[in-house]
Amino acid sequence: HINTKEQCTSRSGAVFIALSDYILESGGIVYGARLNDDFSVTMERAESKEKRDKFKGSKYVQSDMKDIIKNVQEDLKNNKKVLFSGTPCQISGVISCVSEEYKKNLYTCDIVCHGVPTKLVFNDYLKFIQEKYKKRIKEFNFRDKKFGWQSHIETITFEDASSISTEYFRNLFYGHNIIRPSCFECNYATTHRPADISIGDFWGIDQIAPKFLDTKGVSLVIINNEKGQELFENVKSQLNIIECPIEDCIRHTYTLNKPTPKPITREKFWEDYKCKDFGEIIKKYGSNLQLD
């Protein structure tokens, strides 16, 4: 995104902000995932940029769709443009619930998903951190950009304004033991995707086009159909863009080739989870370091 402020407050290159700005400025509605004050993640409706800004940033936990599909149907019936952003499986569900006569105003944007972690582990992790530090958590940043776009370090801010930065939840996530079983058989881990546009981090840009590397973040954008092309044409003036062969785009993002593999440790992890305390789980599965 040309606007560096948007880039710094977004997870990668702020393409979602450009796309959703266009829809909002057309009098449309944007749907996305929000991390709430109680650290639950829900799909929400936004008709302003202020509300839409709550959708910024990564959330490595399953989101609750609530009754959002009914809202999408209602907005489309009222002749509103709608941009729905979410995981490919969520988007596939939304598309299947919209009748053909209303689909012309529905635009969809999926994220290149690695797999969806269960809320149970995230909630237990928050509880563990609060008990360990004897403080209430005020904010949770899954990927703190102050450590650079290519890093993956979480920052937890407490009510007394102190904070800690760790990789514990990241390590649990990338261990793949905590993601949903269905993710290991994902039908959308390919370049043939249900959404009009797919976005994610452009991993490997430093090798593919080193001059285009931006430490504030680089987005991967895959245009999947004519509607996606139309949407992108309306926002590309706000973006610094470079065209790359699809082979380069997917080389370093394996879930565009195949689903996340099921780890051989998964059954053992859940056996341990039932009988060990969370500190032991982190020591065994979330870190090579002993907790201080």
Side-chain angles (χ1 to χ4, degrees):
H1 202 293
I2 289 170
N3 183 328
T4 53
K5 182 187 171 192
E6 295 292 9
Q7 204 177 358
C8 288
T9 55
S10 297
R11 185 48 255 159
S12 48
V15 170
F16 170 69
I17 300 305
L19 296 172
S20 53
D21 274 354
Y22 167 70
I23 296 294
L24 291 168
E25 286 163 11
S26 306
I29 308 295
V30 175
Y31 289 85
R34 171 179 175 160
L35 181 65
N36 300 302
D37 292 341
D38 63 356
F39 305 107
S40 63
V41 178
T42 51
M43 297 303 291
E44 301 287 345
R45 177 182 185 275
E47 41 191 311
S48 69
K49 292 180 184 180
E50 186 183 20
K51 279 189 179 177
R52 183 278 320 275
D53 285 350
K54 303 291 185 185
F55 305 159
K56 288 181 178 182
S58 300
K59 299 106 186 159
Y60 295 105
V61 64
Q62 187 176 5
S63 61
D64 185 349
M65 287 281 282
K66 304 189 299 177
D67 54 358
I68 229 67
I69 289 177
K70 285 183 182 175
N71 294 341
V72 170
Q73 291 169 326
E74 199 63 32
D75 285 331
L76 292 170
K77 283 176 185 174
N78 290 331
N79 210 30
K80 297 269 191 186
K81 278 186 180 176
V82 168
L83 174 65
F84 189 94
S85 63
T87 59
C89 52
Q90 287 174 327
I91 282 170
S92 183
V94 169
I95 291 171
S96 70
C97 292
V98 173
S99 61
E100 286 301 321
E101 63 182 304
Y102 298 120
K103 279 184 180 168
K104 67 174 174 26
N105 277 334
L106 175 63
Y107 297 84
T108 53
C109 172
D110 72 36
I111 57 166
V112 178
C113 182
H114 192 81
V116 180
T118 169
K119 292 185 282 188
L120 170 71
V121 175
F122 182 58
N123 291 343
D124 286 347
Y125 177 56
L126 296 175
K127 195 186 304 178
F128 166 77
I129 291 292
Q130 291 188 141
E131 288 173 0
K132 175 176 166 57
Y133 290 92
K134 296 179 173 53
K135 298 175 183 178
R136 287 185 62 80
I137 296 172
K138 185 181 180 186
E139 291 175 15
F140 193 103
N141 186 340
F142 285 91
R143 279 171 70 187
D144 191 341
K145 227 172 191 179
K146 77 182 179 193
F147 296 103
W149 161 61
Q150 290 167 299
S151 74
H152 191 142
I153 297 172
E154 67 225 30
T155 293
I156 300 167
T157 305
F158 298 104
E159 285 186 339
D160 66 357
S162 64
S163 65
I164 58 165
S165 295
T166 83
E167 294 178 279
Y168 293 140
F169 192 74
R170 166 219 187 263
N171 291 343
L172 290 174
F173 173 51
Y174 281 125
H176 302 160
N177 294 299
I178 67 172
I179 69 173
R180 291 171 57 82
S182 55
C183 297
F184 303 126
E185 299 172 12
C186 178
N187 292 321
Y188 307 108
T190 168
T191 51
H192 303 289
R193 303 174 75 80
D196 303 317
I197 285 183
S198 300
I199 61 174
D201 294 288
F202 200 142
W203 301 125
I205 190 68
D206 51 330
Q207 297 169 47
I208 294 156
K211 288 182 179 175
F212 200 75
L213 176 64
D214 186 333
T215 54
K216 292 185 289 297
V218 181
S219 291
L220 171 66
V221 180
I222 301 174
I223 297 167
N224 298 316
N225 56 32
E226 285 181 16
K227 195 184 256 188
Q229 186 69 49
E230 173 212 328
L231 191 54
F232 190 71
E233 289 296 324
N234 281 295
V235 305
K236 69 179 187 180
S237 63
Q238 300 170 51
L239 307 170
N240 294 316
I241 58 176
I242 182 173
E243 214 169 312
C244 298
I246 190 68
E247 299 77 27
D248 287 343
C249 294
I250 68 178
R251 194 185 306 161
H252 299 274
T253 307
Y254 70 80
T255 51
L256 285 169
N257 295 285
K258 59 185 178 182
T260 292
K262 181 180 176 181
I264 56 171
T265 52
R266 194 171 195 279
E267 277 73 23
K268 180 61 177 165
F269 173 88
W270 286 106
E271 280 176 29
D272 287 345
Y273 203 87
K274 289 171 187 171
C275 61
K276 297 179 185 290
D277 67 37
F278 203 90
E280 291 178 274
I281 295 296
I282 285 183
K283 284 176 187 176
K284 186 169 180 180
Y285 298 99
S287 176
N288 295 323
L289 304 170
Q290 295 297 304
L291 283 172
D292 53 32

